[in-house]
Amino acid sequence: MGRGAEARVIRAPVREEVRVELGPRSYAVVIGAGALAETGQRLVAAGFGGRCALVTSERVGALYRKPVLESLRAAGFAPVLVEIPDGEEHKNLASLAVLYERLLEAGVERGSPLVALGGGVLTDLAGFAAATLLRGLPTVLLPTTLLAQVDAAIGGKTGVNHVLGKNLIGAFHQPRLVLADVDALSTLPRRELVAGVAEVIKTAAIGDAPLFAELEERLDRLLALEREVVVPVIAACVRYKARVVAEDEREVSGGRAVLNFGHTLGHAIEALTGYEELLHGEAVAIGMVAAARVSVALGRCRPETAGRLDRLLKRAGLPTDIPSGLTPAALALAVRSDKKSAGRRIRFVCLEEIGRTTFVELSGEEIVNHL
Amino acid sequence: MGRGAEARVIRAPVREEVRVELGPRSYAVVIGAGALAETGQRLVAAGFGGRCALVTSERVGALYRKPVLESLRAAGFAPVLVEIPDGEEHKNLASLAVLYERLLEAGVERGSPLVALGGGVLTDLAGFAAATLLRGLPTVLLPTTLLAQVDAAIGGKTGVNHVLGKNLIGAFHQPRLVLADVDALSTLPRRELVAGVAEVIKTAAIGDAPLFAELEERLDRLLALEREVVVPVIAACVRYKARVVAEDEREVSGGRAVLNFGHTLGHAIEALTGYEELLHGEAVAIGMVAAARVSVALGRCRPETAGRLDRLLKRAGLPTDIPSGLTPAALALAVRSDKKSAGRRIRFVCLEEIGRTTFVELSGEEIVNHL
């Protein structure tokens, strides 16, 4: 082989595809570099054509709408672009009304796919609009944050916030296709990337011990966004979540509640700090360490296991201590007010070992007393 | 038997129960006199308890909230009452936001049933709030109009209007139980009762020839609200709709579209007359006769069959002529703008015989040209 050929050696594309098995609502999640540029051809392969809407936020749109629109046009679509302001404060009924109006004015019809490009706030909002416009438009999700790629975009939860609480209004509406382009992670602020790693660590902690060991070994390469590490790690997280969702799509049988590990206290901390001080992933990191501490106090978990979790989160740069100033009484009250509470008892997710959890029925006070 | 015993002879309760078969989402529709007073015990039998919300309109609430609240309290529930203004003009996102707020302030939780008492506007709006609050509350429908008892409350369609069109925002959300109290029909204005009869006649025309013959024979007794006629007639309509919905719950395979008989032109007429001149059932009556005329023009239907439909609707006191002033061009455009159009061709429901229909793909212009 001459020098010229050598220079043109192309690295094999790192790409994985995971199927979320939900009978007639099954769909593929494609994880890889450059996936955004394939949006058009993959929509055609999924049976779509004609009109479609691309919903994105202003910031993400500026970065990535171009390759997506070009790909859609090249595949014969007539995409309509709808951009909405960035930020969790816009994930509400007012933005939803604007989105409905823009989509209807654009002439979307039943069967027109709604393509949502952005982080979890955007995919939740756009997904809910799709769930409820014309009683349901097909959704294609293009998550651009690590958190959205491993969590928000998988499993069909959509919704908006209400002044009385986050995600209080929403619907289950599975997407038809998810394209997670890992290249999009390169423009993510470091703090947001790290917050996404919290959900990756959560997945490993509750259901995938080998992934946890891999993270302990390759955390730096994950944070450096090396494709050879990022793609299989995201795929492992998607695979785990797909399995949980397949068994309990609508949080009926209760199995899906395992995903709430660290979230009972995480949500409480977010609510008490006004959703401004901490990113969701940061609150979940604190919540996981707290949940592990409760598990140890209940005799369900060895202190070494809780320590391993604490160390990995810290190494990623995540906070693990409950913010000073949050009183136990306030925490207990906030835990009780979480929308997932059914009555006064909480189905608390305890860590038993890395990769294994168990549910324990506790009151808000009991949880806080074990911290 | 002495005179005293004779005076206390109790008429056997006229009551029917129809099951809507949708696998895990199956539910019962109870049709009978006095069903409202059984709400509480039937909710308990369905496995509910504790907190629940009763959503009704001001007018219907004044008439019927009392027996429902008493029944709920007697069965151990702590019902919260939410009343919203009457009228189609309040079936919108603004009312929905108010409803969300009132329900959240009342402390509804996942699993708390939302009981909706009223006509189709109310059950559509409350049903949509239930579909989307906390990603889905169980709904119990207590329809109080004939239209809601035979149509709106059956099949899981929920939604609100948008300034750009009716029912453009909505979701499929099957109720857990429907209690249709025929006694509630006695307070219905005559014009609304007659409009409901239009949907009864539609059901008979598209799928139940014996019911059509019965209506020809007993129309006066139906309009006089004789229980022995009203209950089985409503039950027949519910039975037919349940069968159609069971085969095509979410309007995917297309079978459910048969229910649109008379609605393609009916919706167009409603849109063009601003939803004020005509009640929905009146517009559908006009639309059915027009659809039958198109069917005759296409050689699909004998003129005698169209004539039978026209005569029965007229006898009920329903309008059957397209309002003068609606030009064919305007009608064609309005038909094309209906949300159920997929592309430019319309799946038009033709009448073949009383009790039998067929689909024909037509453009808006072709439909109007055959009128």
Side-chain angles (χ1 to χ4, degrees), chain A residues 204-267:
Chain A
I206 61 177
D208 193 337
L211 176 62
F212 198 92
E214 196 180 315
L215 291 171
E216 289 179 317
E217 190 171 329
R218 303 188 181 177
L219 183 65
D220 299 337
R221 296 179 62 192
L222 176 67
L223 288 167
L225 293 177
E226 285 186 30
R227 287 175 182 176
E228 293 73 10
V229 176
V230 175
V231 172
V233 163
I234 294 176
C237 292
V238 172
R239 211 171 285 122
Y240 175 75
K241 184 157 183 189
R243 210 164 64 228
V244 173
V245 168
E247 279 167 21
D248 181 22
E249 184 182 359
R250 298 175 71 104
E251 287 185 330
V252 174
S253 65
R256 191 163 173 164
V258 70
L259 301 172
N260 292 339
F261 176 61
H263 282 61
T264 304
L265 284 157
H267 284 158

Side-chain angles (χ1 to χ4, degrees), chain B residues 46 60 76 89 109 111 151 221 235 313 368:
Chain B
V60 174
E89 69 273 24
E109 293 171 344
D151 188 24
R221 296 180 62 194
L313 290 165
V368 171

Side-chain angles (χ1 to χ4, degrees), chain B residues 59-74:
Chain B
R59 194 181 60 76
V60 174
L63 290 164
Y64 299 113
R65 69 181 168 226
K66 199 162 163 257
V68 177
L69 287 171
E70 277 171 4
S71 159
L72 287 168
R73 290 197 188 105

Side-chain angles (χ1 to χ4, degrees), chain A residues 18-22 27-31 120 123-124 141 143 146-158 172-175 177-180 234-246 249 256 259:
Chain A
V18 178
R19 234 181 127 64
V20 184
E21 295 289 354
L22 290 165
Y27 53 97
V29 182
V30 178
I31 303 118
T123 57
D124 278 10
L141 299 180
L146 183 56
L147 186 60
Q149 291 184 353
V150 300
D151 188 24
I154 318 298
K157 280 195 181 179
T158 70
F172 288 96
H173 185 60
Q174 299 294 341
L177 176 68
V178 180
L179 302 179
I234 294 176
C237 292
V238 172
R239 211 171 285 122
Y240 175 75
K241 184 157 183 189
R243 210 164 64 228
V244 173
V245 168
E249 184 182 359
R256 191 163 173 164
L259 301 172

Side-chain angles (χ1 to χ4, degrees), chain A residues 146 188-201 223 279 281-282 285 313-319:
Chain A
L146 183 56
L188 209 55
R190 172 81 180 191
R191 189 176 166 197
E192 277 195 49
L193 179 69
V194 167
V197 169
E199 291 281 352
V200 171
I201 294 174
L223 288 167
L279 296 180
E282 294 169 344
L313 290 165
K314 278 200 174 76
R315 266 184 60 204
L318 286 157

Side-chain angles (χ1 to χ4, degrees), chain B residues 56-359:
Chain B
T56 187
S57 73
E58 286 161 0
R59 194 181 60 76
V60 174
L63 290 164
Y64 299 113
R65 69 181 168 226
K66 199 162 163 257
V68 177
L69 287 171
E70 277 171 4
S71 159
L72 287 168
R73 290 197 188 105
F77 288 91
V80 179
L81 178 69
V82 181
E83 287 187 332
I84 53 178
D86 281 275
E88 179 94 33
E89 69 273 24
H90 295 291
K91 184 180 163 183
N92 57 23
L93 290 174
S95 296
L96 188 68
V98 170
L99 194 44
Y100 285 141
E101 185 134 10
R102 299 281 301 278
L103 291 167
L104 287 170
E105 283 170 355
V108 296
E109 293 171 344
R110 281 194 190 175
S112 302
L114 187 154
V115 182
L117 170 72
V121 166
L122 189 283
T123 57
D124 278 9
L125 169 65
F128 184 58
T132 51
L133 198 59
L134 310 183
R135 289 202 195 86
L137 302 176
T139 316
V140 173
L141 299 180
L142 311 179
T144 56
T145 66
L146 182 57
L147 186 60
Q149 291 183 354
V150 299
D151 188 24
I154 317 298
K157 279 195 182 180
T158 70
V160 297
N161 301 330
H162 190 273
V163 284
L164 294 173
K166 280 179 79 171
N167 295 315
L168 291 181
I169 296 156
F172 289 95
H173 186 62
Q174 299 294 341
R176 298 293 188 85
L177 176 69
V178 181
L179 302 179
D181 191 335
V182 298
D183 284 355
L185 304 180
S186 63
T187 51
L188 209 56
R190 172 80 181 192
R191 189 175 165 198
E192 277 195 50
L193 179 69
V194 167
V197 169
E199 291 281 353
V200 172
I201 294 175
K202 182 200 80 173
T203 303
I206 61 177
D208 193 337
L211 176 62
F212 199 93
E214 197 180 314
L215 291 171
E216 288 178 318
E217 191 171 328
R218 302 187 182 177
L219 183 66
D220 299 337
R221 296 180 62 194
L222 176 68
L223 288 167
L225 294 177
E226 287 185 29
R227 287 175 181 176
E228 293 74 10
V229 177
V230 175
V231 172
V233 163
I234 294 176
C237 292
V238 171
R239 212 172 285 121
Y240 175 76
K241 184 156 183 189
R243 209 164 63 229
V244 172
V245 169
E247 280 168 20
D248 181 23
E249 184 182 359
R250 298 176 72 103
E251 288 186 328
V252 174
S253 65
R256 191 162 174 165
V258 69
L259 301 172
N260 292 338
F261 176 62
H263 282 61
T264 303
L265 284 156
H267 284 159
I269 292 165
E270 282 184 286
L272 292 171
T273 54
Y275 299 100
E276 284 179 3
E277 206 172 302
L278 295 164
L279 296 180
H280 176 67
E282 294 168 344
V284 168
I286 299 169
M288 283 194 283
V289 170
R293 206 172 301 144
V294 171
S295 309
V296 171
L298 291 170
R300 303 274 180 165
C301 177
R302 289 177 307 128
E304 295 72 30
T305 303
R308 253 181 97 188
L309 176 63
D310 188 41
R311 274 195 304 281
L312 185 60
L313 290 165
K314 277 200 175 76
R315 266 184 62 205
L318 285 158
T320 57
D321 293 326
I322 293 172
S324 60
L326 298 192
T327 65
L331 269 176
L333 187 69
V335 162
R336 273 227 317 261
S337 307
D338 194 42
K339 78 170 176 302
K340 278 167 190 156
S341 66
R344 276 146 184 274
R345 306 295 287 179
I346 290 143
R347 215 154 160 251
F348 191 78
V349 186
C350 278
L351 188 66
E352 290 195 325
E353 281 178 24
I354 294 300
R356 207 178 73 204
T357 61
T358 188
F359 290 112

